[in-house]
Amino acid sequence: MSASNRIKPVASIASGLVWVIITPWVVADLKSLDDSALANISGQSGLTMELDLGLTADRVSYFDDGNGIHLEGFRVGSATDASGQAYHLVRVDIEQDASLNLDYLVEDRRIEFGDIRLAGAPGVSMGGVFFDHSLTGYLNISQGGSVGGAGYTFDSAYTMTGGRLGYRTNGNEVFLDDITMNVEALGVTLDVVGDTLALNAPRVTGDWAVGAIRYSSNPLNHGVSVDSGTGQPLPSYGSLSGSYDLSSNTGITAGGRSGEGLRIDNETVLHSASFLYKDDGKALALRDITGGYRINDLRLDVATDWENRPALALTLGSMDGEFNIGAIEMGGNGQSIGEVNVSFLLEDQVFNGRNYSNAIFLQGGGHPDAGPQGLRLATEWSLRLADFSYTEDGNRVIFSGLQSWGRGDVTVNVTRDGVINGTEFFDGLRIGFEDIRAGYRINGLRVGSEDAPLQGGTELLLALGFYPAYEFELDGHMTLGPGGASGEGITINSDVRIRDGKAAVIAVPYDEGNGEVPQKGLWITELDYDSHVRGMTVDVTQEGLAIIKGEAWSTMDIGNLRIGDKESGRSFGRFVVQKYETGSSMTVVPGGAGDVCAGGMGDSPSACADSGGIWETRGEEGLTVRLKQVFAKAAGESRKNALTWETNRKTNGAGEVMNGTGTRLVLDDIHTSDGGDFDGDGAEDNSFGVRTDLSVDVYQTRVVKKAGGPDAMGVVGNRGDEKITDGSSAAGYRYVANPSLQEIENRPLGFAVKARSQFKELSINNIDLVHPVGGAQTAVYGVKMQNFDIKANLTATPIP
């Protein structure tokens, strides 16, 4: 270990508070200061220290119950010169109230760990971390904490500029560039209460910005904004910014989950916050964020995971919280899609007869073919309960009773494009999934309030790939690369394999208030799903959030389509769905359906009423999703659009059905077309595809009784009567034959979806019947459907 000076100011951040500590960093090899060093220290009206600091250490180690974690290649020095020093100017004053005041200036400083290793795991590491910054600020320390004179009170404020925070593996790195930050924390107290170190921050405020999130695959680049070879700016994922105002209480106690270690308990209240992601100047903004969370019994140990692998273990007792986002804005005009609220409880829970907890075991290595550096996170989670609500124009829908559980390994590497040992890698931050066994389920929708009756409606989100319940085993990766369709943005390449999946297409609640019951519905089971995506881009555009697929192909092999119970329900047989898309896209646009003629036709209230419809003004907020699916012609057996239905399969000696032994109906080489060669390139155009617009609103709707007499809740009415909400009624509603204008204002809320699907031409190359003995026979050569335009207006409401 070496240092150019024996006095070092260290800046660290805890709950937004900067601690500047003046400590003797090295106690060995002491020597007298010479005249040149003394010339930089003055003592008139306080003490001023001017230091140029350069410090290195081969290894800094921490041991817990005999297990060690090693921080290698530690350096503090200049951010712009690998052999240079960081400039520090510190002024120390004793105030009239006997408090200690430190004013400091730090310029061009880098704090870096070249590698992080765990004892007992030779040959692999977690990779390197570096932090560049310049700081100016103050720290005032006075005696006396919040519970007496034995503690301390801190007032602090600082400004950080020129910041970079990066992660580096195998010569590749991703880093936050051009970070600026302003923080103020007044009245922070530090006390020892019993055996707990209590840190209380009554108010911490600040704002921050990240000029760019950059990626480099050039090993010669390290913490620089431009490529050393080309001189061009490194590609960017976009920029970030935000602000916050929070209060926090933290308790730190010695002792890990077993033996030595650390325990942390925390309660944080977020009074206000905002978060912006910008892509080429266009913003996706989360505004008016409030909420809070409580962390109970978070333990930090150097230990082993469930497979006895050395790890830095973070194990959680429980955590609960709630966050509200007042507005989600996107697009060039900054229009809001509405308000979002999330409440959650992370806690141990039994799912499917197995107990799940919340833990992350940090290990070195990442994916073995990516190189020796990387992160492996042996992860287990148990989301016992969460509610997600969406409010637009004052109307609210709640996705109630979300639960999730799982266990497996997540790997993290920064990779470059290439094939190593048969594994294909891409430029960017690679997040890998290895042997993850997980699931989730949702109890149903509630419209209006938390105590509204449970109802269906989640199946309306199937078009977005959301299932009401899903259990699966997962392997694969998703690599996030820099740059979108043009300029900044995100590029995604992925390969995902799902095994033994069980997904609900339609499902009833798993708990209607009398305890959990087996969830009934329409299930795709014994699912084997293989999916690949190349060159998918994510951008914030003038319209909203645009996701464009370059090329995507997948095979979904559904062993059984069951109705009723997911394990034993009657089966419709086996279905195999193959998809091959080029240039498909999804655009999320703020604003819902607007003015709608429900149940009729017409573009005005009078014309709608004349046709027997109801004119609905669904407001300014809401959400519209524009889907374009371009089904390409077959490019091989693995890249094509096809549908296979197989029945009457034979069984083996164990009574299990054997795929490929039954009779099959095959719709082969399904593809879209624009109906001609309009650009003159000699090939039929295929750019329109199948276009579906889904406009989502929460809105009042007309619900009529289908039969006379009492309903399931015992409320009596006649056929054709309207359902009107009424808080004074026992069931919360009543039936009215001819509602008044005031009663019409109390029509029930529903989860409303307005949909329109169009295509110019959809073709099926051939329809075959395949017999297990006689083989394939083509029943139909060529099917073409042209100029479809289908509209639908659906509203999900409770059915008593």
Side-chain angles (χ1 to χ4, degrees):
M1 179 181 288
S2 63
S4 61
N5 293 284
R6 302 306 176 191
I7 300 177
K8 176 185 180 293
V10 178
S12 64
I13 302 175
S15 299
L17 173 67
V18 166
W19 297 70
V20 180
I21 307 171
I22 309 301
T23 63
W25 189 261
V26 179
V27 295
D29 189 25
L30 296 175
K31 66 179 182 179
S32 302
L33 294 175
D34 56 25
D35 291 341
S36 61
L38 288 171
N40 291 325
I41 300 177
S42 60
Q44 183 176 3
S45 184
L47 179 67
T48 299
M49 292 178 289
E50 188 174 359
L51 308 173
D52 290 313
L53 178 64
L55 183 147
T56 61
D58 292 335
R59 172 179 288 184
V60 178
S61 300
Y62 168 75
F63 293 90
D64 174 349
D65 296 316
N67 303 308
I69 183 170
H70 309 298
L71 309 178
E72 298 185 345
F74 174 63
R75 183 177 81 89
V76 178
S78 170
T80 57
D81 181 359
S83 60
Q85 300 170 334
Y87 175 75
H88 297 71
L89 177 65
V90 182
R91 180 171 179 174
V92 184
D93 289 291
I94 305 298
E95 305 292 342
Q96 291 183 354
D97 60 357
S99 63
L100 176 67
N101 190 76
L102 309 174
D103 291 306
Y104 56 88
L105 170 67
V106 178
E107 291 183 341
D108 185 35
R109 182 166 69 181
R110 170 170 293 179
I111 302 174
E112 179 172 14
F113 296 99
D115 227 338
I116 303 173
R117 297 181 183 272
L118 288 161
V124 295
S125 69
M126 297 183 187
V129 178
F130 64 92
F131 178 35
D132 300 343
H133 54 280
S134 294
L135 291 170
T136 179
Y138 74 88
L139 173 65
N140 181 274
I141 306 173
S142 57
Q143 192 170 12
S146 61
V147 296
Y152 295 91
T153 297
F154 303 88
D155 293 321
S156 176
Y158 72 90
T159 295
M160 184 179 79
T161 58
R164 291 191 184 96
L165 177 62
Y167 176 59
R168 181 179 176 92
T169 68
N170 308 304
N172 313 304
E173 62 187 38
V174 169
F175 62 95
L176 308 181
D177 193 20
D178 189 23
I179 306 172
T180 59
M181 186 180 298
N182 297 287
V183 177
E184 182 180 70
L186 305 179
V188 178
T189 58
L190 181 67
D191 298 272
V192 177
V193 182
D195 59 354
T196 300
L197 187 65
L199 177 66
N200 176 33
R203 207 64 177 261
V204 180
T205 60
D207 58 79
W208 56 275
V210 177
I213 308 170
R214 300 195 183 276
Y215 164 81
S216 171
S217 61
N218 184 351
L220 299 178
N221 296 329
H222 182 33
V224 294
S225 303
V226 298
D227 185 80
S228 61
T230 66
Q232 297 298 312
L234 294 172
S236 171
Y237 294 82
S239 61
L240 305 171
S241 62
S243 62
Y244 57 88
D245 180 351
L246 60 86
S247 302
S248 181
N249 291 293
T250 303
I252 303 174
T253 310
R257 192 64 61 189
S258 60
E260 297 176 334
L262 194 67
R263 171 175 175 165
I264 300 174
D265 297 276
N266 174 269
E267 182 173 355
T268 296
V269 177
L270 189 61
H271 304 293
S272 66
S274 64
F275 175 85
L276 280 78
Y277 166 71
K278 287 188 176 180
D279 173 1
D280 294 316
K282 302 177 182 66
L284 170 62
L286 310 181
R287 301 192 187 276
D288 303 326
I289 305 173
T290 57
Y293 60 86
R294 287 173 295 275
I295 296 174
N296 175 52
D297 194 14
L298 173 63
R299 302 292 181 115
L300 180 67
D301 300 85
V302 182
T304 57
D305 70 355
W306 50 77
E307 293 187 6
N308 205 33
R309 296 174 294 188
L312 179 63
L314 290 87
T315 55
L316 178 67
S318 65
M319 178 179 179
D320 66 279
E322 181 175 1
F323 292 94
N324 191 82
I325 303 173
I328 302 177
E329 300 173 357
M330 62 179 65
N333 298 324
Q335 184 179 349
S336 173
I337 66 172
E339 178 180 349
V340 170
N341 179 275
V342 179
S343 61
F344 63 91
L345 171 62
L346 292 164
E347 190 175 59
D348 292 2
Q349 173 76 340
V350 175
F351 295 102
N352 296 331
R354 177 178 177 179
N355 186 70
Y356 288 88
S357 61
N358 293 282
I360 298 176
F361 295 85
L362 295 172
Q363 304 163 28
H367 191 282
D369 292 336
Q373 291 183 318
L375 272 176
R376 178 172 293 270
L377 290 72
T379 305
E380 183 175 83
W381 71 92
S382 171
L383 177 62
R384 184 163 186 168
L385 186 64
D387 285 346
F388 172 88
S389 72
Y390 170 61
T391 304
E392 56 94 8
D393 291 313
N395 301 320
R396 186 182 184 197
V397 61
I398 304 167
F399 297 83
S400 181
L402 173 64
Q403 295 182 324
S404 180
W405 59 94
R407 174 190 275 193
D409 284 7
V410 176
T411 60
V412 180
N413 295 87
V414 187
T415 58
R416 67 173 68 97
D417 187 67
V419 178
I420 304 174
N421 296 331
T423 302
E424 186 175 11
F425 293 100
F426 304 90
D427 286 347
L429 183 68
R430 186 187 191 275
I431 303 172
F433 314 103
E434 296 184 9
D435 197 28
I436 291 180
R437 300 167 186 242
Y440 71 84
R441 61 185 180 182
I442 192 168
N443 210 26
L445 295 182
R446 300 182 189 272
V447 180
S449 63
E450 288 90 346
D451 57 358
L454 281 168
Q455 65 176 74
T458 54
E459 61 273 8
L460 298 178
L461 299 180
L462 288 173
L464 304 180
F466 178 84
Y467 295 100
Y470 204 176
E471 297 174 30
F472 52 87
E473 298 176 12
L474 173 66
D475 290 285
H477 79 95
M478 177 181 293
T479 301
L480 308 178
S486 63
E488 295 180 327
I490 303 172
T491 295
I492 299 175
N493 293 282
S494 71
D495 299 283
V496 171
R497 173 77 181 275
I498 289 176
R499 309 177 310 277
D500 195 24
K502 300 178 182 69
V505 179
I506 301 173
V508 299
Y510 62 80
D511 187 347
E512 293 186 341
N514 299 314
E516 292 187 10
V517 295
Q519 202 167 11
K520 304 292 185 180
L522 180 64
W523 297 86
I524 54 178
T525 65
E526 292 86 62
L527 171 65
D528 194 343
Y529 180 56
D530 190 28
S531 173
H532 309 270
V533 174
R534 296 291 181 268
M536 182 169 77
T537 58
V538 181
D539 293 273
V540 181
T541 67
Q542 188 69 22
E543 281 190 302
L545 184 67
I547 302 173
I548 303 173
K549 295 179 182 178
E551 183 182 29
W553 66 99
S554 64
T555 298
M556 178 183 286
D557 193 331
I558 302 167
N560 285 285
L561 178 63
R562 298 186 183 276
I563 187 167
D565 185 80
K566 62 187 175 185
E567 303 290 349
S568 59
R570 297 280 303 256
S571 174
F572 288 96
R574 176 194 181 205
F575 291 83
V576 180
V577 182
Q578 292 178 266
K579 295 179 69 175
Y580 178 44
E581 302 174 60
T582 56
S584 295
S585 66
M586 179 175 73
T587 305
V588 182
V589 180
D595 295 339
V596 176
C597 181
M601 300 290 292
D603 55 5
S604 67
S606 58
C608 180
D610 290 342
S611 68
I614 300 173
W615 187 257
E616 297 180 349
T617 303
R618 294 185 178 174
E620 297 296 323
E621 293 183 326
L623 181 68
T624 294
V625 180
R626 296 174 182 166
L627 302 171
K628 183 176 77 169
Q629 295 174 285
V630 179
F631 299 119
K633 287 186 177 181
E637 282 302 309
S638 64
R639 285 178 167 88
K640 67 176 181 178
N641 296 285
L643 172 64
T644 300
W645 179 25
E646 182 180 7
T647 61
N648 299 316
R649 290 168 289 174
K650 295 179 181 179
T651 58
N652 59 21
E656 301 168 332
V657 295
M658 297 184 294
N659 293 336
T661 62
T663 303
R664 284 169 283 167
L665 173 66
V666 181
L667 282 66
D668 199 18
D669 194 11
I670 306 167
H671 57 275
T672 53
S673 169
D674 294 350
D677 177 15
F678 302 109
D679 59 8
D681 64 353
E684 196 169 53
D685 296 347
N686 190 10
S687 60
F688 191 87
V690 178
R691 301 193 179 188
T692 302
D693 290 352
L694 300 172
S695 296
V696 179
D697 294 275
V698 185
Y699 193 73
Q700 292 176 309
T701 189
R702 182 172 180 259
V703 178
V704 298
K705 204 169 186 304
K706 299 301 181 184
D711 62 19
M713 299 292 292
V715 181
V716 178
N718 297 316
R719 175 184 172 87
D721 286 356
E722 269 203 54
K723 181 180 180 180
I724 301 298
T725 57
D726 185 348
S728 63
S729 300
Y733 66 91
R734 55 190 170 87
Y735 292 108
V736 178
N738 296 298
S740 65
L741 291 177
Q742 183 176 359
E743 289 171 325
I744 287 175
E745 293 297 320
N746 292 320
R747 282 173 170 163
L749 285 172
F751 185 45
V753 177
K754 179 184 176 183
R756 181 182 183 184
S757 291
Q758 308 171 76
F759 61 80
K760 293 183 177 180
E761 184 172 284
L762 180 65
S763 301
I764 305 173
N765 193 68
N766 53 284
I767 301 176
D768 294 344
L769 292 172
V770 184
H771 193 272
V773 177
Q777 296 292 328
T778 299
V780 179
Y781 284 100
V783 176
K784 288 186 182 292
M785 294 171 283
Q786 295 180 330
N787 299 323
F788 268 52
D789 190 347
I790 305 170
K791 299 177 181 179
N793 204 342
L794 308 173
T795 304
T797 56
I799 301 176

